[in-house]
Structures are given as C-alpha cells and as structure tokens.
Amino acid sequence: MKYLVPLLTVCLLAACTSRPTTSGISVEQASAQYQQQLKVDNPALGRKLAISDVKTRQTNQLTDVVVTLSSQYKKSQYLQYQFTWYDGDGFVIKGNHSPWQSLTLFGFANVQLPGLAPTSDAVTFSLAVREVSTQAQEFKD
C-alpha cells in the first residue's frame, strides 16, 4: 500500500503532461524552430519509416508545412497521417483538427505530406503517422 500512492501520483503526473499518442510515429515542431525529433510509439513502424525533411513558410498569414516521409522498407505500406495545430501557448486549436488522411507509401519511396494551419493563431504543429490494417475485420455480436 505504501508504494501504491507514489506510483499512482507518478502515473497521474505523466498522464497530465504528455500529449495524446497514436500507434505509429510522429514529429513535432518546437517553438519557432523545427526539431526533427522522431517519436516512435510503434517500433516496427519506426524501423520502416523516417522523417527526412520539414519545410515551412507563411502563406496569407497561415503556416504552410511540408513534411517528407521516407520509406525504409521494401514493400508498400498503407498508412494514415494527421496534423495537429497548436497556438503560441502550446494549446491545441480546438475544432480545427485535421482528419486522418490515407496514404500508400511504396517501397523505398519518399512522399511529401502537406499541411496548412487552420487559423493564423496556429504557431506550431505535430504530425502523427499510423499503419492501417489491410486485413478484413469481422464484427461479431
């Protein structure tokens, strides 16, 4: 019992300070500079993909982003990606969450993933990439 309270406190603090993750990989922009840090939640996918470039520019007072995703794997991969935008204080811009976009990445190919900030308040972003199952799923009662 005496170890349970400290353990729960650590878990609660970790949950409050971390951003939601998805099963895959992601890259985040840190303040005004892009740190191409790769966050890997799925090690198998992390070995098959790499973020090779991040470019940004301002277009009509909106942040325009292109992230280059590179396949490190010989077979085609069926993926989805999603941009999340944050304001200057690091808060998620609510109601402007981009939907998951489908992507087929062929073996050893590169693809540019474009993203456009929904408002001029968007200062930073994160990009999440996840695998899509190619097997048919049955729903049973």
Side-chain angles (χ1 to χ4, degrees), residues 74-85:
K74 62 183 175 181
K75 295 183 180 179
S76 295
Q77 299 178 68
Y78 303 97
L79 308 167
Q80 291 179 330
Y81 69 94
Q82 179 184 55
F83 283 94
T84 303
W85 297 92

Side-chain angles (χ1 to χ4, degrees), residues 19 26-31 33-36 51 53-56 63-67 82-87 113 115-118 122-128:
R19 292 192 176 148
S26 63
V27 64
E28 290 188 22
Q29 172 199 18
S31 64
Q33 297 178 352
Y34 296 95
Q35 294 180 352
Q36 297 172 27
I51 305 292
D53 192 23
V54 178
K55 295 180 183 178
T56 63
T63 303
D64 194 4
V65 177
V66 175
V67 177
Q82 179 184 55
F83 283 94
T84 303
W85 297 92
Y86 303 93
D87 65 15
L113 308 178
L116 181 63
V123 178
T124 61
F125 73 94
S126 66
L127 170 69

Side-chain angles (χ1 to χ4, degrees), residues 47-141:
R47 288 187 294 273
K48 296 177 186 178
L49 297 174
I51 305 292
S52 58
D53 192 23
V54 178
K55 295 180 183 178
T56 63
R57 66 179 175 193
Q58 292 296 314
T59 305
N60 296 330
Q61 299 178 351
L62 299 175
T63 303
D64 194 4
V65 177
V66 175
V67 177
T68 304
L69 187 65
S70 301
S71 174
Q72 309 294 309
Y73 187 60
K74 62 183 175 181
K75 295 183 180 179
S76 295
Q77 299 178 68
Y78 303 97
L79 308 167
Q80 291 179 330
Y81 69 94
Q82 179 184 55
F83 283 94
T84 303
W85 297 92
Y86 303 93
D87 65 15
D89 296 323
F91 289 95
V92 173
I93 296 177
K94 299 286 184 192
N96 292 311
H97 214 266
S98 69
W100 286 98
Q101 301 289 322
S102 295
L103 166 69
T104 300
L105 184 59
F106 299 105
F108 299 111
N110 296 326
V111 66
Q112 290 186 331
L113 308 178
L116 181 63
T119 68
S120 59
D121 295 335
V123 178
T124 61
F125 73 94
S126 66
L127 170 69
V129 179
R130 66 183 182 188
E131 288 183 297
V132 177
S133 175
T134 56
Q135 297 178 352
Q137 297 180 1
E138 291 184 27
F139 296 99
K140 298 181 181 180
D141 294 334

Side-chain angles (χ1 to χ4, degrees), residues 12-33:
L12 181 62
L13 289 175
C16 291
T17 60
S18 63
R19 292 192 176 148
T21 59
T22 184
S23 177
I25 66 170
S26 63
V27 64
E28 290 188 22
Q29 172 199 18
S31 64
Q33 297 178 352

